[in-house]
Every structure is written in C-alpha cells, then in structure tokens.
Amino acid sequence: MGGRRKFIKHSLLSTLAGIPLAGNAGSLQTFRKEEKTVKNFTPQVLSTWNHGMPANDKAWEVLNSGGTIVDAVEQGVMVTENDLSNLSVGLQGLPDREGIVTLDASIMKGDGSCGSVAFVRQVKHPITLARKVMEKTPHVMLAGEGARLFAISEGMPIEQEELSPKAREAYMRWKENAKYQPVINIENHDTIGMVGMDENGAMAGSCTTSGLAYKMHGRVGDSPIIGAGLFVDEEVGAATATGLGEEVIRICGAFLIVELMRQGRTPQEACEEAVKRAVSKSKDIDNTQIGFLALNKEGEFGAFAIRPGFNFARHHGQGKSLTDARSWYK
Ligand code: ASP
C-alpha cells in the first residue's frame, strides 16, 4: 500500500503545485477526493449491543491477519449467528408467531456493492448467503424459498428446522397469553449491525437478525433492506440500525445518516437527527426502540437511540470498548 500512498501523495502535491495530471486534472471535486485519500485512516470496527464485543474480536483478528474489511464484517457477525445463547440473531433466535425462525441479513461494501437475504429458513449463516448474493448473482436481494434454494445450490448446509431449547421455552410461554398477536415492544429484538474501515479507508458493513420475535410469518424488518438497516458509501461513511425495523424502514434510517454525514454532520449529529426523525414519524413511540450506529471516513463515530439501553462495541488500534449510547428519552 505504501507505493500507492506515495503515488497519491505525489499526485496531490502535483495538483497543489498547479501541475496538470493525466486523467484527473481540474475539478475541485477531484481535488477533494484526493485530499481525503492521502489521510491516514483509523482502522476500526463497531457493532451494536454487547454481542458486538466477541463479534468485533473476530472481525479485528480477520483484519489483522490480512483479510479484507468485507471478510471482517462477514466473519465478525458469524460469531453472533453461531452463538447459541443469542435469541435475536441466527437460527437459535426467537421464532415468528407460527413457531418458525426466519432470518434477514445484508452486507455492503463502500463502493456500493451489496447483497441481502430476507425471510430465509434453515440457513445458519444468512450473512454468508447475503455475500454470495452480492458476489455471485446479478441481484441485490433474494427472499424466502428462493434464497434457501440458492444456498443449496452454493453448497451451504441446510439445518434441521427445530427451535433451540431456549427459544422453544420462550415461545411456549408467549403462546399462553399472546392471542396470536405479534408483539411490538422495546425488547425481544436485538440485531447485530457492524460497520468497519481498514487502514486504507476501505469500508464495509453487515447486519443480521432473526428479527422481531413472534412477528407475522413473512414479516421482513429493516436489516436486509439496503438503506434502512445498513448503508455504506466509503466516500462518506457507514451506518447501521437496530430496533423496531418498521420504524427504521419508514425513514430509510441508515441511508439518511450517511447522507446527513455527506452534508457535513458528524456521525453523532447524524444519528441524533435520524432518531429525531423516527420519533416524529413513529406510529407507536411508547413501544418503540431504535438504535443507530455510524462511522465516517475520518474515523469519527457516533450512536444514538430513542431510549436508554442501547450500547455498542468498538475495536480499534488502541484497544476496545463497550459504550452506552445516549438517547432521546433520558
Ligand atoms: N431491526 C430488527 C428487525 O426489526 C430487530 C432488531 O434489531 O431489534 O427485524
């Protein structure tokens, strides 16, 4: 990378000196992009919730052993998809009201490449399937049986459709009083969303969930919707969301945050503005929790939620941390 950096630095100095450069002389926009390119980037990964800590550990290990930022955000969240104690991500998660676990996931690179799967059954690693959609198909999103068949065609294992013991117990308890009503509340859903940047400024993000517990069969949340649960544009930054997906989709949450950052807001300001928007549009604010997490190209990050309780994990060159996000309601 040193060679490329030197070249870019030389290009920038040439531009500053007024020396025209073949192919990129001229526009202010070009100059600004180059100005960004010569910076020293701050490699880091950030994830939603406590389960972000072990997920970030893995992502950081992948980055430090020469993996790309896309490898890192994929393999990082696979840790959570594999975590049998986790009831909100992966096949061990809480089912829909029919007792069936359906998963949503998305992955996005800073250059705009993206892939996602929605309402998929029996696939242990929907994030890997989303990456395969991104890399091996002309599409962005596959849903339901089509996504499952694509997994089979890619040689991915198909799991037995059986609730984990913890999920079964919770589902049985829910059924006693639920009257078959989907529950909209501030609990029972905790996606992992991860955003990251490598030392060259390449960015990527991932998002994976079993979605809202006891949802209607077929319900899809924000997590596999590019621009809602996840958005990355490495000219600017990346954002991801957790919480009640319906409210995040309504405001195109992650896209909104990246666009606010493009207009000059810091990640913190952008997350706060997006929460403010969600609060103003909410159909049921008393039962709504949303948390946003964002990172910009400068390495600044921010997080904000509707109500207390949302936290995020950050791994970077100097260590790691788990931080409680600030919130609209105190
Ligand atoms: N956003 C997810 C969904 O609505 C759930 C969550 O993050 O809590 O499916």
Side-chain angles (χ1 to χ4, degrees), residues 21-129:
L21 293 164
N24 67 354
S27 82
L28 187 60
Q29 205 179 356
T30 307
F31 169 73
R32 284 211 177 113
K33 267 187 199 155
E34 282 182 329
E35 192 180 38
K36 276 189 173 173
T37 312
V38 292
K39 279 192 178 163
N40 286 323
F41 296 105
T42 310
Q44 56 189 299
V45 288
L46 296 114
S47 298
T48 55
W49 304 109
N50 294 2
H51 51 219
M53 291 299 278
N56 285 0
D57 279 338
K58 180 66 188 181
W60 198 244
E61 180 195 313
V62 170
L63 262 190
N64 285 329
S65 53
T68 65
I69 190 66
V70 189
D71 298 331
V73 299
E74 178 196 2
Q75 292 178 42
V77 301
M78 283 169 73
V79 170
T80 325
E81 290 179 340
N82 263 332
D83 177 359
L84 292 180
S85 68
N86 193 308
L87 289 178
S88 55
V89 178
L91 287 177
Q92 65 284 346
L94 294 172
D96 64 21
R97 66 180 181 177
E98 313 295 340
I100 299 169
V101 177
T102 67
L103 305 178
D104 296 339
S106 62
I107 192 160
M108 187 162 191
K109 286 166 65 171
D111 68 355
S113 312
C114 51
S116 77
V117 290
F119 186 49
V120 65
R121 290 159 75 160
Q122 294 179 281
V123 174
K124 190 171 188 175
H125 290 300
I127 196 65
T128 301
L129 189 56

Side-chain angles (χ1 to χ4, degrees), residues 49 88 104 187-192 209-212 215 219-224 241-246 248 289:
W49 304 109
S88 55
D104 296 339
E187 291 155 10
N188 283 339
H189 45 93
D190 284 343
T191 301
I192 182 153
T209 190
S210 51
L212 187 64
K215 59 196 174 186
R219 180 265 189 187
V220 171
D222 59 314
S223 310
T242 180
L244 189 59
E246 283 74 3
V248 179
Q289 170 65 316

Side-chain angles (χ1 to χ4, degrees), residues 125-144:
H125 290 300
I127 196 65
T128 301
L129 189 56
R131 183 170 179 178
K132 286 181 189 292
V133 172
M134 172 172 79
E135 292 177 346
K136 297 191 167 187
T137 79
H139 306 305
V140 165
M141 186 174 203
L142 290 180

